[in-house]
Amino acid sequence: MNVPNKIPPRWAHWLLTRLHPKETLEEVEGDLDELYVYWYRKAGKTQATWRYVLNVVSVLPPFVRRREHKQHEYQPSNLYPAMLRNYVIVAWRNLVRHKAFSFINITGLALGMACNLLIGLWMHDELSYDRFFPDAEKIYVVHYNLERNGEVLTTLSTPGPLQGVIQKDIPQVAHVTKVANWPNVLVRTTNPTADEKPSKEQGYYATEDFFGVFDVPTLSGHPKEALANPTHIIISRKMAEKYFPHEPALGKQLQLNNDKLYTVGAVIENLPTTSTLQFDWIANFRTFEQEWMKTWGDNPFQTYVRLNPQTTLAQAEAAMKGIYGRYTDWKSAKEGRIYPILQPIVDQHLYSVYQNGKSTGGRIEYVRIFSLVALFILVIACINFMNLSTARSALRTKEVCIRKVVGARRFALVGQFLSESMVMSLLAAVISLGIVWYVLPTFNTLLEKQLALNLMSPGLWLGISGLILITGLLAGSYPALFLSGLPPLRILKGFLSLGTNPATFRQVLVVFQFSLAVFLLVGMLTIGRQMRYLYTKNLGLNRMDVVAIPLEGDILKSGHPEPFRQQLLRLPTVASAVTVNKLPINIDSGSGDLKWSGKDPDKPTEVSGDFVGTDFAKTMAIPVLAGHEFRTHNRIDSGGYIINESAAKLMGMANPIGQEIEFWRGKGPIIGLIQDFHLQSLHQPITPLILAFDDGNASYVLVKIRAGQTERALSDIERLVRQFNPDYPFSYQFLDSAYDSLYRSEQQVNKLVDVFGLLAMLISCLGLFGLVAYMAERRTKEIGIRKVLGASVPGILALLSKDFLKLVLIAIVIASPLAWWAMNRWLQEFAYRIDVEWWEFSLAALLAIGVALLTISFQSINAALVNPVKSLRSE
């Protein structure tokens, strides 16, 4: 007898279930329910409620007494092997019996777990940088802070003399070394084979104590002794196998840049990709050192220290506090406003951003963001499972009730339902491993990583086991608790409706699920716009069609690359050319050597500088606001300087042309004022810039190619380079590509957010698809009757769609302010950035609604097109 509306007052029923003795509760509960229905039909609801309450009171203590259990029935343990086997068999039968829902659940979970595995591999790679060094926690990178105008500026590189004075004055430091990165050095053997060609390798010039700081596994030789010898070189295993494939490398000779010969003094193991130090050779710093490297005014080097075992970071920093004041005559140093600070090497990769003298973030922000993204996607997948399980709960109520009636306890039923979710989680994990194995090469290409799925790694299986356990518990918890809590007698007699609470909970889950998906969609749009802004923003110079060609070999040996530049200018495909020491898109600041008349001696300066040749502004299309560029063979120009607007503002010069300043080349007049342009990525503001003339002190020649003649120009330039440098391979880099590489981290984040945002939406829609399919199935009879009465297909579509679309709209309202806050916080990392626009939220909302509507429509139209005669006959 189904009388769902004739339900006794809940508070009275609650009182009955809490206070009546458990031994007779079910019998009394059933009797009272039947009596309630009887009085409801005979005398109405009020009379039935009044009699029900009186009856409830009459069966509560002290009118009835609690009785002690005389004996407990034997209940087997839920962890008994036979019971576990039974759980798995029941779970498998349910899985096979409901193939469509099982497919949706397992697919959603597998996609979610695959995303988590991929993000987990990426996070493990990011968090493991430099941790392979023995005692890595005792190794630190030295930076220095400069206090100015109430702010603290942190410089991430150090002057040349600092390493020596730390070694001399700081007993808390066990070892200290200074390194200079040398990325493209031509290496060749002294007895090359016929098919052997020289190639460029990356290396370091380092001081003798390098291997005291960094303990790198040695394959042959003695690295410490070899580095102390200026004629020796230490090479990696990869380099040894490349240049000496069939013989021991130790004792053999290598020539660097067709110049100095080195003897291989040791071979060391290759450093992993998770090392911030990347090199294939190391040579003694003294073979490279020049006079300007011995001054305190420039900061081109990295200094590393290894502290004594008993020394703490605070003790070492305190000992270094006054070191600048002891060795420079700077007033700010004497007053202790310039001082070294130490950063653990294991933090160098993730915490590269400093604010007010403290490390505040860097790539660690991306690690945090994607750990949240991984969690979001897993939660979305688990919500699918919860929603579909609770939606189908009505089909399993009798099964649950019968199990309880024959003696199953709630704990056993919870175990049964959790077993089902665990089985699905296990199957999903197996599928997810296949997905990860298949997409990992593409994932590596996207991120420029070398991640690997090492199936022999205990850590991987530990992680997968944890993922299975968490996913199984998370996905199965609510269905297990809900279904196992159903009162059996009331369900069997049809007194309890399953409609209200589970449906409300499902709606909350759908809203939560789509809120996360909309949040990620807004992130996709904002990050994508910021990346386009970075690529297209006017930097104040024209980097298009500009090729950077490294100056090396015979071009530099001539002592002057100007003849080479003149030859380039004669090519019909070349518009202009200039020699530079640093690429104009990445000129760092770090020089404190600038002086001018009237300068406050207490005012420290931190300016950017570069050596350039003739036609710098012309080649880069930078407007000259006053004066002129450097001119070839002009004595005044060669001793003069060009400054940008920010430098003029720093020095307080309204008309700077002709005024004398002192910089890298000594005292000289300002001959040109150029418009400000961006010297680095848009993370950094524009800083004062001083350009000095020195076409001999150049690392690149920048060539402006005439429009539309790129291919021919490259061919002409290669032919010319081979004339000057017949032994060197031709290499070049478009300035536009070099600029893009400044945003490698952001590009990776953009790609990851795109991929995982779309996957989050796909998984959300997968769950919605399952829910709509279930609802359509449950309402088959209703749809058939409506069609017989004249309902149209759009009408039935609207009937099935409107409730779900309301949930998606609520999700959009909830997610929008959260996404606005998060995106604004991310944009704060850029000195130049876009604003978060309202239309991004509108577009994300339209996308979410459109995809949801498409998902719902597919099932709804199928249900609406079914022949009503068939539907009603099946009922």
Side-chain angles (χ1 to χ4, degrees):
M1 183 165 47
N2 189 5
V3 283
N5 294 325
K6 297 176 178 57
I7 299 173
R10 292 188 179 188
W11 65 270
H13 179 261
W14 181 86
L15 205 63
L16 175 70
T17 56
R18 293 298 181 277
L19 299 181
H20 185 81
K22 300 293 181 187
E23 300 82 11
T24 55
L25 175 62
E26 287 191 357
E27 298 170 25
V28 172
E29 193 180 7
D31 292 343
L32 292 185
D33 284 340
E34 288 183 359
L35 284 170
Y36 179 83
V37 174
Y38 171 76
W39 283 107
Y40 192 104
R41 288 175 174 167
K42 186 174 181 181
K45 183 176 180 182
T46 305
Q47 189 67 232
T49 301
W50 173 244
R51 286 178 177 274
Y52 184 84
V53 172
L54 282 179
N55 286 332
V56 166
V57 172
S58 69
V59 296
L60 298 182
F63 304 107
V64 296
R65 289 187 306 154
R66 295 181 183 276
R67 288 178 290 183
E68 295 294 330
H69 280 289
K70 293 182 179 178
Q71 61 181 14
H72 294 283
E73 294 178 0
Y74 171 72
Q75 289 284 341
S77 168
N78 295 311
L79 299 179
Y80 192 69
M83 190 65 80
L84 291 175
R85 180 171 171 270
N86 179 262
Y87 288 161
V88 173
I89 291 173
V90 172
W92 179 256
R93 285 176 181 166
N94 274 303
L95 191 148
V96 173
R97 188 174 301 151
H98 307 286
K99 293 184 179 64
F101 287 100
S102 300
F103 174 79
I104 292 173
N105 271 333
I106 293 175
T107 304
L109 287 177
L111 286 174
M113 293 171 87
C115 291
N116 271 261
L117 283 174
L118 287 172
I119 292 176
L121 288 173
W122 176 77
M123 286 174 58
H124 178 265
D125 185 79
E126 290 288 316
L127 294 172
S128 60
Y129 267 74
D130 294 319
R131 294 187 184 277
F132 61 90
F133 286 118
D135 298 326
E137 69 280 2
K138 301 302 290 184
I139 303 175
Y140 293 84
V141 192
V142 184
H143 307 310
Y144 77 88
N145 278 348
L146 166 62
E147 295 180 4
R148 183 174 64 189
N149 301 328
E151 294 184 358
V152 182
L153 303 177
T154 301
T155 299
L156 302 181
S157 49
T158 50
L162 186 62
Q163 172 260 337
V165 296
I166 288 177
Q167 192 171 36
K168 176 185 171 188
D169 289 1
I170 312 298
Q172 290 83 359
V173 172
H175 302 279
V176 56
T177 187
K178 168 178 62 183
V179 302
N181 185 18
W182 216 249
N184 291 305
V185 171
L186 189 74
V187 178
R188 66 169 71 239
T189 58
T190 52
N191 297 307
T193 59
D195 57 346
E196 180 183 326
K197 293 182 179 178
S199 57
K200 294 181 178 178
E201 310 291 351
Q202 177 169 327
Y204 280 128
Y205 289 102
T207 53
E208 287 84 345
D209 213 7
F210 180 87
F211 291 103
V213 177
F214 300 105
D215 188 0
V216 183
T218 304
L219 300 180
S220 62
H222 302 282
K224 291 183 180 178
E225 296 174 11
L227 191 58
N229 189 334
T231 64
H232 281 188
I233 189 171
I234 299 98
I235 63 176
S236 67
R237 174 202 289 268
K238 184 178 76 174
M239 200 164 155
E241 292 173 349
K242 180 178 179 180
Y243 289 91
F244 309 102
H246 307 298
E247 54 187 341
L250 201 64
K252 302 294 188 305
Q253 286 194 315
L254 288 171
Q255 188 177 33
L256 269 54
N257 278 338
N258 284 346
D259 185 13
K260 190 172 176 59
L261 280 174
Y262 289 93
T263 302
V264 177
V267 179
I268 58 175
E269 187 56 89
N270 297 328
L271 292 181
T273 55
T274 53
S275 172
T276 52
L277 297 168
Q278 289 296 334
F279 60 88
D280 285 315
W281 58 266
I282 301 179
N284 190 295
F285 192 87
R286 281 177 285 160
T287 63
F288 156 83
E289 191 169 30
Q290 301 173 37
E291 279 304 311
W292 66 269
M293 299 177 185
K294 300 176 182 176
T295 67
W296 287 85
D298 293 294
N299 309 295
F301 306 114
Q302 289 289 331
T303 304
Y304 299 89
V305 298
R306 176 184 284 270
L307 302 185
N308 284 316
Q310 293 76 28
T311 302
T312 64
L313 171 63
Q315 290 170 337
E317 285 189 331
M320 292 183 191
K321 192 81 174 178
I323 204 164
Y324 273 80
R326 291 199 292 273
Y327 290 94
T328 70
D329 57 358
W330 304 337
K331 185 178 178 182
S332 52
K334 298 291 184 189
E335 293 175 350
R337 288 186 283 116
I338 300 180
Y339 52 89
I341 59 170
L342 301 179
Q343 181 185 37
I345 192 172
V346 292
D347 290 346
Q348 190 180 15
H349 176 69
L350 295 174
Y351 297 88
S352 59
V353 176
Y354 275 76
Q355 289 183 348
N356 207 23
K358 302 288 184 186
S359 172
T360 56
R363 287 182 69 87
I364 188 66
E365 298 294 338
Y366 298 135
V367 173
R368 289 169 182 157
I369 288 172
F370 282 102
S371 62
L372 278 178
V373 169
L375 180 64
F376 284 178
I377 291 177
L378 189 63
V379 169
I380 288 173
C382 290
I383 285 175
N384 281 350
F385 185 92
M386 291 185 198
N387 269 336
L388 292 176
S389 297
T390 52
R392 294 176 55 245
S393 58
L395 303 176
R396 303 191 64 182
T397 51
K398 289 188 178 178
E399 173 196 340
V400 172
C401 294
I402 290 171
R403 283 177 180 274
K404 292 184 85 170
V405 167
V406 298
R409 291 181 177 177
R410 185 172 186 182
F411 188 71
L413 292 171
V414 169
Q416 178 194 329
F417 289 111
L418 285 181
S419 299
E420 291 182 16
S421 65
M422 285 292 178
V423 169
M424 286 205 179
S425 181
L426 182 63
L427 290 174
V430 174
I431 297 171
S432 71
L433 277 174
I435 295 173
V436 171
W437 178 81
Y438 184 74
V439 304
L440 195 55
T442 308
F443 193 69
N444 278 331
T445 304
L446 278 177
L447 301 182
E448 300 175 10
K449 290 274 189 182
Q450 297 179 21
L451 307 179
L453 192 64
N454 182 9
L455 296 179
M456 302 303 290
S457 167
L460 175 68
W461 291 111
L462 192 63
I464 291 174
S465 303
L467 197 58
I468 293 171
L469 188 64
I470 291 170
T471 306
L473 290 176
L474 192 61
S477 56
Y478 181 74
L481 294 173
F482 170 71
L483 291 173
S484 64
L486 294 174
L489 207 58
R490 292 166 62 80
I491 291 293
L492 289 174
K493 291 185 175 183
F495 289 123
L496 186 63
S497 168
L498 294 172
T500 308
N501 289 337
T504 304
F505 187 70
R506 282 201 303 275
Q507 290 169 355
V508 170
L509 291 181
V510 170
V511 169
F512 183 67
Q513 189 178 41
F514 270 86
S515 297
L516 297 179
V518 171
F519 183 92
L520 290 174
L521 281 179
V522 174
M524 284 171 56
L525 293 171
T526 305
I527 294 174
R529 281 186 59 230
Q530 176 67 13
M531 293 308 296
R532 283 190 293 279
Y533 173 79
L534 297 178
Y535 295 145
T536 58
K537 185 180 186 313
N538 182 6
L539 301 180
L541 52 79
N542 188 352
R543 61 181 189 275
M544 304 302 293
D545 295 327
V546 177
V547 178
I549 300 168
L551 293 175
E552 54 196 352
D554 292 340
I555 298 176
L556 285 180
K557 280 182 183 176
S558 65
H560 213 285
E562 182 61 17
F564 175 67
R565 191 183 80 92
Q566 292 296 336
Q567 290 290 329
L568 282 170
L569 292 175
R570 292 193 181 95
L571 296 175
T573 52
V574 171
S576 63
V578 61
T579 56
V580 296
N581 188 258
K582 301 171 186 172
L583 294 181
I585 55 164
N586 197 15
I587 304 175
D588 56 353
S589 62
S591 177
D593 288 348
L594 179 64
K595 297 176 184 174
W596 65 92
S597 176
K599 177 191 174 188
D600 181 355
D602 190 34
K603 183 177 183 178
T605 57
E606 190 83 6
V607 300
S608 303
D610 194 10
F611 287 113
V612 302
T614 308
D615 291 343
F616 176 76
K618 177 185 174 184
T619 305
M620 299 310 306
I622 300 169
V624 179
L625 303 178
H628 53 77
E629 289 207 69
F630 296 121
R631 293 167 296 195
T632 309
H633 307 308
N634 185 296
R635 190 178 59 81
I636 296 177
D637 286 1
S638 62
Y641 296 99
I642 296 173
I643 65 173
N644 68 352
E645 292 173 285
S646 294
K649 186 178 178 182
L650 173 72
M651 295 184 285
M653 296 178 179
N655 299 300
I657 303 302
Q659 299 200 46
E660 192 171 74
I661 62 174
E662 184 176 345
F663 199 54
W664 289 346
R665 297 182 66 83
K667 291 183 179 179
I670 297 172
I671 65 164
L673 173 67
I674 59 175
Q675 185 175 293
D676 275 346
F677 64 93
H678 288 276
L679 309 178
Q680 291 182 282
S681 74
L682 296 187
H683 287 287
Q684 308 296 331
I686 296 174
T687 53
L689 171 69
I690 311 293
L691 298 176
F693 181 83
D694 191 345
D695 55 2
N697 191 0
S699 301
Y700 302 93
V701 58
L702 302 178
V703 181
K704 178 74 174 179
I705 297 173
R706 295 190 188 280
Q709 301 194 36
T710 304
E711 190 173 345
R712 186 182 164 198
L714 288 176
S715 176
D716 291 344
I717 295 169
E718 180 178 4
R719 189 168 54 253
L720 188 63
V721 168
R722 292 194 182 283
Q723 289 177 16
F724 277 81
N725 267 343
D727 296 329
Y728 279 73
F730 174 60
S731 60
Y732 64 91
Q733 183 179 25
F734 279 98
L735 206 58
D736 203 32
S737 302
Y739 178 75
D740 289 349
S741 67
L742 299 178
Y743 302 102
R744 186 164 295 157
S745 296
E746 288 76 15
Q747 289 169 352
Q748 292 175 354
V749 169
N750 191 25
K751 292 170 186 172
L752 286 176
V753 168
D754 285 354
V755 170
F756 293 121
L758 291 175
L759 274 174
M761 182 55 74
L762 173 66
I763 297 171
S764 300
C765 289
L766 204 60
L768 199 58
F769 181 86
L771 275 181
V772 176
Y774 170 75
M775 291 302 170
E777 180 186 326
R778 295 280 295 166
R779 300 174 75 173
T780 302
K781 183 177 179 182
E782 177 191 346
I783 293 169
I785 293 172
R786 284 177 180 273
K787 289 193 71 177
V788 168
L789 295 176
S792 62
V793 172
I796 293 174
L797 176 64
L799 174 72
L800 294 175
S801 306
K802 62 182 182 183
D803 291 339
F804 290 107
L805 289 180
K806 282 179 190 173
L807 301 181
V808 176
L809 288 173
I810 293 171
I812 291 167
V813 171
I814 293 173
S816 295
L818 294 174
W820 179 86
W821 173 81
M823 287 299 99
N824 269 298
R825 183 173 174 181
W826 179 74
L827 289 170
Q828 297 303 314
E829 295 180 7
F830 296 87
Y832 303 89
R833 55 184 176 265
I834 59 168
D835 292 324
V836 182
E837 301 286 351
W838 64 269
W839 60 262
E840 292 176 40
F841 300 95
S842 302
L843 184 56
L846 285 175
L847 281 172
I849 292 171
V851 174
L853 191 59
L854 196 65
T855 308
I856 296 168
S857 301
F858 183 80
Q859 275 297 340
S860 301
I861 290 173
N862 277 344
L865 291 178
V866 173
N867 188 336
V869 175
K870 187 177 178 182
S871 303
L872 295 174
R873 183 186 297 160
S874 67
E875 289 289 318

